[in-house]
Amino acid sequence: MVFKVAEHGILGQHTQYPSQYDSKLLFPIARAEARERLGIFSPLPFIGQDIWNAYELSWLDKAGRPRAGLAEIVIPATSESIIESKSFKLYLNSYMQPRVADTDALRVHLAADLSTAAGAPVSVVLATPTSKQAS
């Protein structure tokens, strides 16, 4: 079986890192077409999730000090879309310059944007170097 690679978004294109936050960087890819070609229909014959780990997530706190942490992002297999990886990376990097009130605000904001792009609730867990456990 041969699959055609969809031409979309920024995949394969030269890009510059964003200088400010932009949720429009996220490029969702619908799961339905690929599943149809494979003969996979609802209800899905499997359960699962996509787990993305961001090992170098950076942002500025409300005082403008740089912060860093780890993020685990879980997208359910039942979501309408997956998120193209290069767009995901650029989106996460768009948090390097804007100020964020606190870690929980960042987690909530990430979850909201990613849930919108995926078309399903996305779980985000953040851990910072000073946290005793993930939040």
Side-chain angles (χ1 to χ4, degrees):
M1 180 177 282
V2 176
F3 290 98
K4 178 178 87 172
V5 176
E7 291 185 32
H8 54 78
I10 54 175
L11 186 60
Q13 296 180 26
H14 177 73
T15 56
Q16 291 185 334
Y17 283 95
S19 60
Q20 53 189 313
Y21 161 79
D22 187 358
S23 66
K24 291 184 230 114
L25 291 166
L26 292 169
F27 192 86
I29 301 170
R31 295 182 189 267
E33 185 181 331
R35 287 183 175 167
E36 261 181 50
R37 289 189 303 230
L38 293 169
I40 300 172
F41 302 98
S42 284
L44 295 176
F46 54 81
I47 59 172
Q49 54 200 13
D50 299 315
I51 301 174
W52 293 79
N53 292 296
Y55 295 107
E56 297 178 13
L57 183 60
S58 301
W59 67 96
L60 298 177
D61 68 13
K62 64 184 172 186
R65 294 177 298 230
R67 297 291 182 222
L70 307 171
E72 179 184 78
I73 296 123
V74 180
I75 303 171
T78 54
S79 67
E80 293 175 13
S81 300
I82 59 173
I83 299 169
E84 190 276 319
S85 62
K86 185 174 181 181
S87 77
F88 202 162
K89 176 183 174 183
L90 290 171
Y91 164 76
L92 292 176
N93 283 328
S94 79
Y95 277 95
M96 284 190 193
Q97 294 302 319
R99 294 178 184 203
V100 179
D102 56 39
T103 305
D104 194 52
L106 176 62
R107 183 191 58 74
V108 168
H109 204 218
L110 287 166
D113 286 346
L114 296 167
S115 295
T116 298
V122 171
S123 166
V124 176
V125 176
L126 292 178
T128 60
T130 58
S131 50
K132 295 185 190 309
Q133 61 183 352
S135 60

